[in-house]
């Protein structure tokens, strides 16, 4: 197949990104030729400031080295400026005479720095800060000269001033507005930034217009409109950029503020010619930030490779920056005019300022200074139009604001929605990062950057990426590699499980012998081993009661005085008068001192003597509630659509059904369900291991919640239509938990450790895997065919004293005649 | 047992104590836990942890130690001494097995 010829003028970030997207979409479609005016391959222009500041080197900011162009069969002409586009012949001609024909042409000429045409602007020592050459000039100047002035108090100007400061020069920033970075910050944040930078040694002249550059051949000073002046021997102009469109204009392509393109990034004049990046004007806007440009690149690639129509709709931009070491974030309409609904938090000592502008309980704009961790979340909510009235009082303290879990960065990122954008520059979502970490086994930020591009452009999200790394593999990384189960062994949970499986060990004692246990095991490792054996070989192993803790051994909860408590199953919390009478009769007969309604909609008989247990179970004739075990505890339900005027689903029936299906299963730790019939969620389902909430036409299943010491809200697993699907997904989720959970690890930390995404993949998305999990769960359930209380009663009646005789009392005389 | 006054009291059959577990014997107000170890040796101590009076018979046996079910104190069954870092001592009782029968001396 004859390849089409694609030529690109410009070798910068937006253009090369478009080429990358094209190669990804269809690597064999084009013969690609790129002309770049600079003598470098594509580099990260945003990182010029760190280069200037000496934090990194030119080599380190190269995004695509020459090898990359070679590997992808791209003809690269560096240092060749195109002087003419001959649209009639479909070819471009460079200043040195090099020609190239095209079928499609991309103009990605970017922008030029704007030099204010004040008198004297052409003197030596007056320059812009735009490319690697400018950096080199500044390095050279800093060796000879002392006093630098920077016109422009935007991001670039401040970064340039900071760089010069680092190079040992004095630096004064002249800004025509009162507020620094007035496009991104309000006056309060601008003031804080200024104070911070002044502390670092930077000088400022704000609300000041420059009228003349003084000096003979070289700049020697500046004159201002108010009559004052400033000595300087280096002047950086950083007042903005202008789309570089001269070439396009000369070729008869329609230009306004930039090269005008349609929603598919085609020039409106010539459909064979595209434009992308800072030179392109879309719906009246020429973007200067990286994120929208990369979005444009994607759309361009989609269109040019013929994948169909995907329109660029324009971008809502947020700014998350590190200005000379200070974090700032802003998005939307953050000024908030008179009468606006504004939330503000100001901590002058801590250097933190946050401001949200609301309208109809929705976020309209946000400015943050010092602590920007919540920025992406707020931005996401702003785009989603989320109603924030409920979080209003705590919003500025923490977006996730849940109990004790809201304050550390790691918790914050785990509370972030999957589709929240972590890296705004490259449009990388939390899910992209987490998936890459999980599937490719990444452990460093550098690896994440090379895989996903997150933190590869402005680096403003580097902390977030670090936190995601920590929260995604933190515990897995540390614990699975190092932490043994307990002092009795050097092996961790996963290693022990693996050994039991491969060596087919079916007895606790055998496991401890083969795996060279130190001593006879303890209350931590023995129950764990017993659980793993039972989980792996449900049919070929016998429960080791001597490795059960007291509660599970006795099928009752031991109390502080050595008595026990008895809790029968009350499925779904729904009972009958007959059952209540029976419970009451038993309580009276055995003189039960306390009868208590539990938090899980059941009845607890407390203070039962050990020797009364079997007799009570027999009289009760109700299933064991497993309140003593690492098993299914309660399935809390609301009355649902059967009675409630708000109910949309029959939550009680579903709860009872689930509890009956799952009531005799051993898990790594206890498991609680909540089933609510409508989003009012009266069953408090969202702090349970599995929370099911009825919605119109279906059920929302969310998982990994916990209402204990660390309150954790469930995360949405999926939405299904029928009760059968709820059962299937719940079974698959719980079987996956049984197989991969560590003994004594609740679903909340487990889900956090293995990652909701990986769980979703196996339990929800991959139907084969879901089916297999359900089948294994069903096979296991089939082995648990007898209620433990009924079994003990039957044993007692058969007088199998060798087995459960410890329930029976023995009395001996205190004094015996010798 | 060199003690002349020691009188052996028949308690139960060894088989009536589940393997690697214990059962309790009431002697007036005192409750004694009789443990059957993995190798069928038996030990007897007062069924009362010095910490919060936990019923030791319900704990997990680890070698010649018992782990209290309430707060996992570790008590040596031979001498009743609590393992560090905790401190304390539990009363022990002479116990023996003859012809599958367990005897205890108060």
């Amino acid at each position: 197949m004859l390849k089409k010829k694609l030529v690109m003028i410009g070798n910068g970030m937006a253009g090369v990104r478009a080429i990358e997207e094209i190669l990804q979409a269809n690597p064999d479609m084009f013969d690609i030729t790129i002309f770049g005016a600079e003598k470098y391959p594509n580099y990260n222009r945003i990182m010029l400031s760190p280069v200037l500041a000496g934090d990194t080197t030119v080599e380190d900011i190269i995004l695509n080295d020459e090898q990359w162009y070679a590997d992808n069969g791209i003809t690269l002409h560096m240092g060749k400026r195109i002087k003419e586009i001959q649209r009639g012949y479909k070819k471009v001609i460079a200043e040195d005479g090099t020609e190239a024909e095209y079928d499609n042409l991309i103009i990605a000429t970017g922008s030029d720095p704007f030099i204010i045409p004040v008198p004297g602007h052409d003197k030596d020592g007056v320059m812009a800060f735009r490319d690697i050459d400018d950096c080199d000039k500044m390095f050279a100047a800093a060796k000879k000269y002392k006093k630098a002035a920077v016109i422009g108090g935007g991001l670039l100007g401040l970064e340039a001033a900071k760089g010069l400061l680092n190079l040992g020069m004095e630096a004064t920033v002249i800004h025509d507005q009162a507020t620094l970075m007035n496009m991104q910050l309000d006056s309060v944040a601008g003031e804080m930034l200024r104070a911070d930078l002044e502390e670092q040694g930077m000088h400022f002249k704000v609300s000041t217009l420059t009228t003349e550059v003084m000096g003979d051949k070289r700049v020697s000073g500046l004159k201002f409109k108010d009559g004052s002046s400033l000595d300087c021997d280096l002047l950086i102009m950083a007042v903005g950029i202008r789309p570089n469109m001269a070439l396009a204009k000369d070729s008869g392509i329609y230009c306004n503020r930039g090269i005008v393109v349609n929603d598919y990034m085609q020039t409106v004049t010539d459909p064979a010619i595209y434009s992308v990046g800072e030179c392109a004007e879309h719906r009246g806007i020429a973007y200067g930030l990286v994120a929208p440009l990369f979005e444009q690149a994607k759309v361009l690639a989609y269109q040019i490779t013929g994948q169909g129509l995907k329109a660029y709709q324009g971008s809502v931009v947020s700014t998350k920056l590190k200005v000379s070491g200070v974090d700032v974030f802003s998005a939307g309409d953050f000024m908030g005019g008179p009468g606006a609904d504004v939330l503000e938090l100001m901590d002058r000592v801590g250097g933190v300022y946050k401001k949200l502008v609301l309208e109809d309980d929705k976020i309209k704009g946000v400015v943050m200074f010092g602590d920007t961790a919540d920025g992406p979340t707020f931005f996401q909510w702003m785009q989603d139009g989320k109603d924030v009235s409920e979080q209003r009082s705590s919003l500025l303290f923490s977006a996730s604001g849940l109990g004790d879990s809201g304050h550390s960065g790691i918790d914050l990122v785990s509370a972030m929605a999957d589709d929240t954008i972590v890296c705004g520059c490259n449009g990388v979502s939390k899910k992209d990062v987490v998936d890459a970490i999980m599937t490719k086994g990444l452990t460093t930020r550098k690896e994440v950057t090379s895989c996903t591009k997150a933190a590869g452009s402005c680096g403003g999200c580097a902390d977030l990426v670090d936190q995601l790394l920590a929260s995604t593999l933190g515990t897995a990384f540390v614990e699975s590699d190092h932490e043994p189960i307990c002092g009795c062994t050097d092996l961790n949970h996963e290693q022990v499980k693996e050994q039991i499986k491969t060596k087919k060990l079916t007895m606790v004692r055998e496991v401890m012998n083969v795996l060279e246990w130190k001593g006879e095991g303890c209350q931590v490792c023995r129950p764990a081993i017993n659980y793993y054996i039972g989980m792996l070989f449900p049919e070929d192993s016998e429960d080791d009661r001597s490795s059960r803790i007291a509660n599970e051994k006795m099928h009752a909860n031991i109390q502080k005085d050595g008595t026990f408590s008895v809790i029968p199953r009350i499925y779904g919390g729904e009972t009958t008068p007959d059952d209540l009478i029976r419970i009451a009769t038993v309580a009276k007969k055995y003189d039960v001192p306390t009868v208590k309604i539990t938090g899980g909609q059941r009845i607890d008989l407390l203070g039962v003597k050990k020797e009364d247990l079997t007799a009570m179970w027999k009289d009760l004739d109700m299933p064991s509630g497993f309140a003593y075990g690492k098993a299914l505890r309660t399935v809390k339900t609301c009355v649902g659509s059967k009675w409630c005027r708000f109910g949309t689903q029959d939550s009680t029936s579903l709860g009872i059904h689930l509890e009956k299906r799952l009531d005799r299963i051993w898990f790594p730790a206890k498991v609680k369900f909540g089933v609510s019939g409508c989003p009012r969620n009266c069953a408090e389902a969202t702090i349970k291991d599995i929370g099911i909430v009825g919605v119109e036409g279906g059920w929302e299943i969310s998982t990994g919640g916990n209402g204990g010491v660390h309150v954790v809200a469930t995360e949405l697993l999926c939405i299904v239509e029928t009760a059968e699907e709820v059962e299937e997904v719940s079974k698959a989720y719980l079987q996956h938990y049984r197989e991969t959970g560590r003994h004594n690890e609740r679903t909340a930390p487990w889900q956090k450790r293995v990652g909701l995404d990986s769980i979703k993949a196996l339990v929800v998305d991959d139907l084969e895997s879901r089916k297999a999990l359900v089948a294994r769960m069903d096979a296991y359930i089939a082995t648990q065919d007898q209620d433990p209380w009924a079994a003990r009663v039957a044993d007692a009646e058969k007088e199998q004293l060798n087995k459960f005789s410890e329930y029976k009392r023995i009395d001996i005389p205190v004094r015996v005649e010798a | 047992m060199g003690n002349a006054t020691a009188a052996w009291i028949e308690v139960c059959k060894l088989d009536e104590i589940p393997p690697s577990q214990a059962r309790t014997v009431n002697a007036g107000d005192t409750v004694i836990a009789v443990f059957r170890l993995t190798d069928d040796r038996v030990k007897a101590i007062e069924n009362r942890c010095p910490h919060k009076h936990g019923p030791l018979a319900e704990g997990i046996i680890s070698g010649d130690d018992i782990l209290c079910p309430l707060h996992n104190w570790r008590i040596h069954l031979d001498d009743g001494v609590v393992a560090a870092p905790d401190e304390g001592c539990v009363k022990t009782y002479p116990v023996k097995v003859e012809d599958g029968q367990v005897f205890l001396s108060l």
Side-chain angles (χ1 to χ4, degrees):
Chain A
M1 193 187 93
L2 198 62
K3 288 187 182 181
K4 289 171 80 176
K5 294 191 201 72
L6 175 66
V7 172
M8 184 162 81
I9 307 172
N11 189 27
M13 292 175 78
V16 175
R17 173 56 71 92
I19 298 293
E20 284 181 330
E21 296 279 358
I22 290 168
L23 288 170
Q24 205 166 26
N26 189 343
D28 302 317
M29 189 165 171
F30 292 105
D31 267 328
I32 302 171
T33 305
I34 299 178
F35 288 88
E38 283 187 65
K39 56 180 195 287
Y40 297 95
N42 179 34
Y43 64 88
N44 187 343
R45 201 177 294 279
I46 305 168
M47 296 298 277
L48 278 178
S49 313
V51 170
L52 187 63
D55 293 338
T56 185
T57 62
V58 171
E59 289 73 45
D60 282 339
I61 68 168
I62 299 289
L63 291 172
N64 305 81
D65 58 17
E66 291 179 52
Q67 191 59 44
W68 177 84
Y69 294 86
D71 290 347
N72 287 288
I74 298 169
T75 311
L76 174 64
H77 298 287
M78 283 192 294
K80 291 190 184 177
R81 193 178 291 273
I82 296 293
K83 64 167 189 197
E84 191 183 356
I85 304 170
Q86 294 188 344
R87 286 170 50 212
Y89 297 102
K90 286 201 162 186
K91 69 177 182 185
V92 297
I93 303 165
E95 282 173 343
D96 70 343
T98 309
E99 293 188 6
E101 292 183 351
Y102 65 80
D103 294 303
N104 285 116
L105 176 69
I106 300 174
I107 305 176
T109 42
S111 60
D112 289 328
F114 181 55
I115 301 287
I116 319 170
V118 288
H121 71 269
D122 46 4
K123 292 191 194 307
D124 284 355
V126 180
M127 57 178 292
F129 178 38
R130 183 65 189 161
D131 55 29
I132 293 178
D133 277 348
D134 293 334
C135 271
D136 288 341
K137 282 189 211 159
M138 284 157 79
F139 282 133
K143 288 189 182 125
K144 280 170 77 178
Y145 303 101
K146 278 263 97 51
K147 287 171 176 266
V150 176
I151 302 183
L155 174 67
L156 203 61
L158 297 177
E159 292 285 14
K162 173 72 176 166
L164 293 166
L165 215 55
N166 281 4
L167 292 173
M169 295 189 80
E170 270 178 45
T172 305
V173 174
I174 298 106
H175 193 45
D176 59 350
Q177 305 287 318
T179 301
L180 295 180
M181 287 181 67
N182 52 295
M183 298 295 280
Q184 289 88 20
L185 300 180
D186 67 354
S187 57
V188 179
E191 271 313 305
M192 291 177 80
L193 179 62
R194 176 175 166 174
D196 211 285
L197 294 174
E198 277 175 343
E199 205 155 286
Q200 296 182 35
M202 214 177 281
H203 301 293
F204 292 95
K205 275 183 88 70
V206 296
S207 304
T208 301
L209 280 176
T210 308
T211 49
E212 194 187 335
V213 179
M214 301 182 296
D216 297 329
K217 198 160 176 288
R218 189 180 175 86
V219 55
S220 65
L222 295 174
K223 232 183 220 161
F224 304 115
K225 199 176 178 188
D226 62 7
S228 63
S229 62
L230 176 80
D231 288 346
C232 69
D233 39 29
L234 179 70
L235 174 61
I236 313 293
M237 293 251 203
V239 291
I241 51 172
R242 286 207 158 159
N244 186 351
M245 57 188 183
L247 179 66
K249 215 172 184 173
D250 292 344
S251 314
I253 293 168
Y254 176 63
C255 297
N256 180 32
R257 292 154 80 172
I259 302 166
V260 179
V261 294
N262 62 17
D263 283 356
Y264 311 106
M265 307 315 294
Q266 280 167 310
T267 58
V268 293
T269 312
D270 186 340
I273 301 179
Y274 291 74
S275 181
V276 68
E278 289 175 335
C279 58
E281 175 186 332
H282 172 265
R283 297 190 190 178
I285 302 174
Y287 293 93
L289 288 168
V290 173
L293 305 186
F294 285 180
E295 230 174 289
Q296 292 177 353
K298 207 172 250 175
V299 172
L300 187 155
Y302 211 75
Q303 169 75 10
I304 208 168
T305 54
Q307 291 182 67
L309 294 179
K310 174 174 179 168
Y312 178 62
Q313 309 278 5
S315 301
V316 185
V317 293
S318 69
T319 320
K320 186 175 196 300
L321 300 166
K322 226 183 177 72
V323 190
S324 308
V326 184
D327 288 311
V328 300
F329 181 92
S330 71
D333 170 20
F334 54 79
M335 294 306 283
D341 181 5
V342 174
L343 302 180
E344 277 181 301
L345 181 149
M346 167 63 82
D347 172 4
R348 283 191 193 280
V349 177
V352 173
Y353 167 65
K354 302 181 191 179
K355 169 175 160 188
L356 283 175
V357 179
L358 306 181
E359 196 180 294
D360 298 333
D361 294 324
K362 289 171 189 131
I363 298 175
K364 282 282 144 202
V366 50
V367 184
M368 307 176 87
F369 183 94
D371 173 7
T372 59
D374 281 334
T377 305
F378 290 145
F379 184 55
Q380 186 74 37
W381 291 355
M382 184 177 109
Q383 286 175 299
D384 295 347
K386 180 186 163 83
D387 186 321
V388 296
S389 52
E390 280 187 23
Q391 292 104 315
R392 195 181 166 97
S393 60
S394 61
L395 209 49
L396 286 176
F397 295 101
S398 161
S400 55
L402 250 182
D404 58 354
S405 65
H407 292 284
S408 77
I410 291 173
D411 282 338
L412 204 69
V413 293
S414 55
M416 266 164 59
D418 280 347
D419 55 355
T420 301
I421 298 296
V422 172
C423 174
C425 294
N426 293 290
V428 184
S429 71
K430 174 190 168 189
K431 186 177 187 318
D432 298 335
V433 174
V434 172
D435 285 359
I437 295 170
M438 299 288 295
T439 58
K440 304 199 171 111
L442 314 180
T443 53
T444 67
R445 190 204 303 162
K446 210 167 182 175
E447 288 170 356
V448 172
T449 302
S450 61
C451 268
T452 65
K453 293 188 181 288
S457 296
C458 77
C461 59
D463 286 349
L464 273 178
V465 171
D466 285 351
Q467 286 166 12
L468 278 173
L469 269 165
S471 76
T472 307
L473 49 80
T475 48
F477 191 51
V478 178
E479 286 180 20
S480 71
D481 284 356
H482 306 293
E483 291 287 313
I485 293 182
C486 64
C488 304
T489 177
D490 294 330
L491 304 173
N492 64 32
H493 286 272
E494 280 69 27
Q495 291 166 324
V496 170
K497 213 188 293 185
E498 190 57 33
Q499 292 286 325
I500 293 174
K501 194 171 169 183
T502 52
K503 299 199 164 116
K504 297 225 161 41
L505 307 173
T506 55
M507 282 163 66
V508 174
R509 206 149 293 283
E510 194 187 358
V511 172
M512 294 194 297
N513 282 337
V514 173
L515 303 184
E516 298 178 341
W517 235 248
K518 299 167 225 166
E520 304 265 338
C522 68
Q523 78 284 351
V524 176
C525 58
R526 290 237 309 263
I529 297 170
N530 189 43
Y531 167 76
Y532 293 138
I533 292 174
M535 182 270 291
L536 290 164
F537 309 110
E539 287 169 61
D540 304 317
S541 67
E542 205 172 316
D543 191 46
D544 177 13
R545 297 191 68 226
S546 72
S547 293
R548 290 261 181 204
I549 57 162
N551 285 357
E552 294 188 348
K553 181 162 57 182
M554 305 303 291
H555 303 286
N557 297 54
I558 194 164
Q559 302 300 319
K560 57 187 275 189
D561 63 352
T563 64
F564 291 86
S565 80
V566 169
I567 303 180
R569 280 244 183 252
I570 297 181
Y571 290 98
E574 191 178 87
T575 183
T576 62
D578 284 341
D579 277 347
L580 289 176
I581 289 168
R582 197 166 331 138
I583 292 169
T585 309
V586 167
K588 277 184 98 165
K589 177 174 173 187
Y590 294 93
D591 215 7
V592 171
T594 300
V595 180
K596 166 96 176 60
I597 307 291
T598 70
Q601 302 183 334
R602 320 204 271 187
I603 294 174
D604 194 353
L605 307 174
L606 290 137
V608 177
K609 291 188 273 302
K610 180 172 155 184
E611 55 263 33
D612 286 341
L613 285 172
T614 31
M616 266 183 74
W617 294 337
K618 181 167 192 266
D619 289 348
L620 271 174
D621 194 24
M622 292 171 77
S624 159
F626 279 82
Y628 44 79
K630 299 188 191 309
L632 178 67
R633 297 286 177 88
T634 170
V635 177
K636 187 171 181 175
T637 68
C638 67
V639 293
S641 58
K642 220 190 280 178
W643 294 98
C644 178
R645 64 200 165 101
F646 298 118
T648 53
Q649 294 282 5
D650 185 359
S651 48
T652 323
S653 296
L654 178 60
I656 292 171
H657 176 76
L658 288 171
E659 189 168 352
K660 286 192 168 163
R661 285 300 163 94
L662 302 169
D663 64 352
R664 289 174 203 153
I665 300 168
W666 293 110
F667 293 104
K670 63 184 170 186
V671 167
K672 298 175 178 181
F673 270 66
V675 187
S676 288
C678 81
R680 283 170 190 77
N681 191 17
C682 295
E684 294 158 355
T686 44
I687 49 163
K688 301 285 188 267
D689 296 275
I690 297 190
I692 297 158
V693 176
V695 291
E696 207 55 61
W699 301 92
E700 267 181 23
I701 305 176
S702 61
T703 53
N706 196 320
V709 184
H710 297 280
V711 179
V712 181
T714 51
E715 297 176 284
L716 183 66
L717 185 68
C718 62
I719 299 174
V720 298
E721 282 176 19
T722 65
E724 288 72 40
E725 287 171 280
V726 173
E727 180 182 335
E728 201 178 292
V729 170
S730 301
K731 276 183 175 171
Y733 177 86
L734 289 175
Q735 181 63 18
H736 185 37
Y737 168 53
R738 294 187 71 234
E739 291 172 2
T740 58
R742 294 173 185 157
H743 191 251
N744 220 4
E745 179 182 45
R746 292 289 301 271
T747 57
W750 169 73
Q751 182 163 306
K752 196 168 160 178
R753 177 167 65 83
V754 305
L756 182 65
D757 293 329
S758 77
I759 297 173
K760 257 188 202 160
L762 291 168
V763 169
V764 182
D765 301 335
D766 183 345
L767 291 179
E768 287 294 305
S769 142
R770 188 205 293 188
K771 250 194 231 156
L773 283 165
V774 172
R776 291 202 289 279
M777 172 65 94
D778 285 338
Y780 171 73
I781 290 174
T783 64
Q784 304 298 102
D785 54 349
Q786 208 180 10
D787 177 77
W789 288 356
R792 299 302 161 261
V793 170
D795 285 335
E797 291 187 340
K798 276 187 277 170
E799 288 190 32
Q800 287 194 342
L801 293 178
N802 58 332
K803 261 188 153 178
F804 304 103
S805 57
E806 73 263 34
Y807 294 103
K808 224 173 139 190
R809 182 182 167 112
I810 300 175
D811 280 290
I812 56 169
V814 181
R815 257 184 262 279
V816 188
E817 298 305 319
Chain B
M1 293 296 140
N3 191 340
T5 59
W8 292 109
I9 307 163
E10 197 177 313
V11 175
C12 62
K13 292 198 183 78
L14 181 65
D15 285 349
E16 288 172 337
I17 307 176
S20 304
Q21 290 176 63
R23 68 179 299 174
T24 50
V25 174
N26 295 281
D29 291 337
T30 307
V31 184
I32 300 162
V34 182
F35 297 88
R36 175 179 175 185
L37 306 188
T38 316
D39 54 7
D40 280 351
R41 285 178 298 133
V42 291
K43 302 278 174 188
I45 64 172
E46 191 178 355
N47 189 34
R48 187 182 148 100
C49 180
H51 177 220
K52 299 266 181 175
H53 309 162
L56 297 172
E58 323 299 347
I60 286 181
I61 301 172
S62 174
D64 282 9
D65 295 340
I66 179 69
L67 300 163
C68 176
L70 293 193
H71 307 94
N72 299 315
W73 278 33
R74 182 181 276 267
I75 295 145
H76 194 52
L77 292 172
D78 276 335
D79 51 15
V81 174
V82 174
D86 304 312
E87 288 175 14
C89 193
V90 185
K91 188 169 176 356
T92 60
Y93 297 89
V95 63
K96 66 174 180 179
V97 183
E98 271 177 19
D99 298 332
Q101 199 73 38
V102 180
F103 294 90
L104 194 64
S105 172
L106 296 179

